[in-house]
Amino acid sequence: MSQEKLAREIVERVGGEKNVESLVHCATRLRFVLKDDSKADKAGLEKTEGVIAVKENGGQFQVVVGNKVPEVYQAIGQISNILDDSSTKEKSGKKVKGLGGIIDVISSIFAPLLGVMAGAGILKGLLLIANNVGWLEKTDTTYIILYAAADSLFYFLPLLLAVTTARKFQGNAFVALTIAGALIYPTIIQLKTDGTPTDFFGIPVVLMSYASTVIPIILAVIVMSKLEKFFNKLLHDSIKNFVTPLFLLVIMVPLTLLAFGPFGVYVGNGIASAMVAAFGFSPLLAGAVMGASWQLLVIFGVHWGLVPVFINNIAVHGQDGVKPAATASVFAQTGAAFGVMLKTKNKKLKTLAGSSTLTALFGITEPAIYGVTLPLKRPFIAGVIGGAVGGAIIGQAGTQAFASGAPGLLTLPIFYGPGGQGFPGLIMGIAASFIVSAVLTYIMGFKDPVDDEETKTASTTPSDGADATHGKDASSKNAAQVTATSDQEVLSPIEGEIVDLAEVPDPAFSSGAMGKGIAIEPSTGRVVAPFDGTVTVAFKKKHALAVVSDSGAEILVHVGVDTVKLDGQHFISYIEEGDRVKAGDLLLEFDIEQIKAAGYHTVTPIIVTNSADYNDVVPQATGQVSNKDMLLKIVGTETSKAK
């Protein structure tokens, strides 16, 4: 699928351009803030080719597309006005509160910078290595030029954060830039360097160093954005375009230097000191916790709360001892995916695990997590254990990060400091993470999906998301053992009104792709056995089941349309796979009114899934039916020969 086609598909399934409040992206995810989350088709997106996963975290609707996210992001900008920064763009006023709101703000501010931050961090790390091994001296002009390229982003970080914060809060980005520029203006810096007593109309100003800081400019721009809206409403249209910026500069620059700046620096220093103290108390334990939990934090989107801490530690101390332990978690999930690749006999899973392993080695773990380890469960747990082992080694070694960048093979230079101290511990830690996770995955095992040859019938299960990959086609195996020669009578498993299968609002059923059969609009919420036989499929979400008769006829009863999304709510199952049942035995109960109230159709298809093994499936009832009425007659091959 082309990037433009994928972009159109994504925009359509998030509810269209008009439903998008804002959009940013990080290394692998498109991070939407939607006006109405209910308009988004999450299930449809998850099935879209090119989409790895869809997550709703921190007030954001996140679409994981992997390494191609910049191209998809740009394609969305070309086919829509979503990336338009115009202040006239309609806003919904949607607010995300609590922790979700904080995470939304942090991720929206920092996500646009991650790419260039990683590139600059790698360059900075390489220069540190070049200097340590004697290839370049810090006085060499070549070193000075390259270091300026690597360090400028971090030195002028308040300027970049001013832009992203202004975008998030719909403020004037150029005014925000000007305020940030004042904080690192040469004359102001000189006052701080010289220790010159400074006041503003007699009010003492505590000067701080604002280069590379995070919190002061974010606080300043948030307040600036609120004041901007106030002045724009207060002032006449003829003067507000230049008077509002005047007021903002006159108010915000002194206010930032007097209050927001010192407060932000003190808070940042406090957080940095607390994290450093935690690693100082027990580096082994702190490293193990970070190594085990980092990918869990990523899944829920709350890792963004630690990103400013990493950056602030580097700004305050010149290094950060928290981030290295998180690197173990990345390589641990990489090792788990590698273990799956070695263990699985499924060709498609082996290919996916192999490609995901390669991608994860360079710091992009979403394909490995969402496509491989998390769905299989045990490999993800193995990755958590491996991350704890590696994190403990890295923490105990005292490894430090000297620049920012997403953990991966290419960014290892950012952990190489003066004399290389702690770097061998990092290598040992990530190697241990990878190996322990891979070995544990192989030993612990996982429920390996059967190979393509064995899953042909699985592709005929309903397209209800989880149903399509359930992999429980014991009915097909049983059918292979029985020749479909004799007729089979099927009693109605549900009481209600007969509906033609073609009228079911799901093409998987109405088209006949699932097999021949009939549908019932239920009047009572009970499903009973249609004949004597064996339960071959009992879906975990309880909305559907399959029974095979002793003569080999397979019947699927699927209560409602898309009811898999209810996650088992309003259903009570009385069966397990392998249970023997007799005609009329109660198999399942469901609450018709509650299902309808949740917005789902209750019309229930009853399908002969192995119709192709028989000559015909003939409906035997019309109008109202009860559990004792014959619903279908399945015509076997012997009947045909007799005729």
Side-chain angles (χ1 to χ4, degrees), residues 375-400:
L376 296 174
K377 298 182 180 63
R378 288 182 183 176
F380 184 81
I381 295 171
V384 171
I385 297 171
V389 173
I393 295 172
I394 293 170
Q396 189 64 38
T399 307
Q400 301 290 313

Side-chain angles (χ1 to χ4, degrees), residues 559-613:
V559 180
V561 176
D562 287 335
T563 46
V564 64
K565 297 176 183 178
L566 290 171
D567 289 326
Q569 292 184 66
H570 318 311
F571 291 91
I572 301 174
S573 176
Y574 298 100
I575 53 172
E576 293 183 358
E577 291 179 8
D579 286 354
R580 284 287 300 171
V581 295
K582 293 186 176 181
D585 285 353
L586 179 61
L587 308 181
L588 180 72
E589 288 186 310
F590 56 96
D591 191 320
I592 298 174
E593 297 306 318
Q594 290 292 338
I595 293 172
K596 288 182 176 179
Y600 296 92
H601 292 284
T602 54
V603 62
T604 299
I606 294 97
I607 305 295
V608 181
T609 54
N610 62 338
S611 300
D613 295 338

Side-chain angles (χ1 to χ4, degrees), residues 169-202:
F169 290 91
Q170 293 94 53
N172 188 314
F174 298 104
V175 176
L177 272 169
T178 305
I179 295 171
L183 299 181
I184 54 177
Y185 192 71
T187 306
I188 300 294
I189 292 176
Q190 194 62 45
L191 289 174
K192 168 69 170 62
T193 303
D194 295 342
T196 304
T198 307
D199 67 84
F200 182 74
F201 288 114

Side-chain angles (χ1 to χ4, degrees), residues 242-257:
F242 52 88
V243 175
T244 294
L246 169 65
F247 285 169
L248 294 176
L249 292 174
V250 170
I251 294 172
M252 290 308 306
V253 172
L255 187 60
T256 302
L257 291 172

Side-chain angles (χ1 to χ4, degrees), residues 279 283-295 310 320-332 384 386-396 398-401 407 415 425-426 429-430 433:
F279 272 78
L284 187 144
L285 178 60
V289 171
M290 179 60 70
S293 63
W294 180 251
Q295 290 299 335
F310 298 157
D320 169 58
V322 183
K323 184 183 183 71
T327 307
S329 185
V330 172
F331 283 89
V384 171
V389 173
I393 295 172
I394 293 170
Q396 189 64 38
T399 307
Q400 301 290 313
F415 303 103
L426 175 80
I430 62 177
S433 300

